[in-house]
Amino acid sequence: MKTKHIALFILCICALLTSCKVGNYSQERGLPDQAYLLFVANEAYEGEVQVTVDNETTFNAKVIKEKKGTIKRDLYAIAKGKRYIKVSYNGKVIYEREIFVSAQETKKIQLP
């Protein structure tokens, strides 16, 4: 009688252990399909510069002074591909160029 209970107990334990299934979940996430601009200069700019992308989008950007250990914290996201960039400071155009940027690429714009 006692062996039947032990056998039944072991059978129940085996059934519980094999019936539990831990779900395998996988999540894939691609990186955003965009590129980044970083504005650096040897001299400090007071305030921000005005950036125009493709003569459509305009935003203000902070210019950082380039150092050996510069942390890329002031990045501005733009769409990848061929872009026309114009940078103005105090109403004067200081940078104007057509660039090509790939996805996840950070393009450093060296300002005078």
Side-chain angles (χ1 to χ4, degrees):
M1 182 78 172
K2 192 173 187 178
T3 56
K4 286 184 180 179
H5 288 290
I6 292 174
L8 184 62
F9 179 72
I10 291 174
L11 184 65
C12 288
I13 294 295
C14 289
L16 286 174
L17 290 177
T18 57
S19 65
C20 294
K21 180 181 178 187
V22 177
N24 293 331
Y25 299 101
S26 65
Q27 182 178 11
E28 292 185 24
R29 177 185 286 176
L31 295 172
D33 199 18
Q34 57 191 12
Y36 301 96
L37 294 177
L38 173 68
F39 298 95
V40 295
N42 291 331
E43 298 177 15
Y45 282 79
E46 291 183 22
E48 297 177 326
V49 295
Q50 292 76 41
V51 180
T52 305
V53 179
D54 295 334
N55 290 325
E56 295 175 355
T57 306
T58 302
F59 60 91
N60 293 333
K62 185 176 180 183
V63 179
I64 60 171
K65 195 169 183 179
E66 187 176 26
K67 296 178 184 174
K68 193 172 187 178
T70 300
I71 299 172
K72 297 177 181 176
R73 61 176 180 220
D74 294 315
L75 298 176
Y76 301 93
I78 62 170
K80 67 177 185 177
K82 189 185 268 187
R83 300 285 168 230
Y84 176 75
I85 305 293
K86 185 166 78 174
V87 180
S88 302
Y89 181 67
N90 290 337
K92 186 177 176 185
V93 176
I94 57 174
Y95 181 89
E96 188 172 14
R97 188 168 296 169
E98 192 170 50
I99 62 170
F100 183 83
V101 286
S102 303
Q104 293 298 309
E105 178 185 359
T106 300
K107 181 73 173 179
K108 186 178 2 176
I109 306 291
Q110 179 75 40
L111 298 176

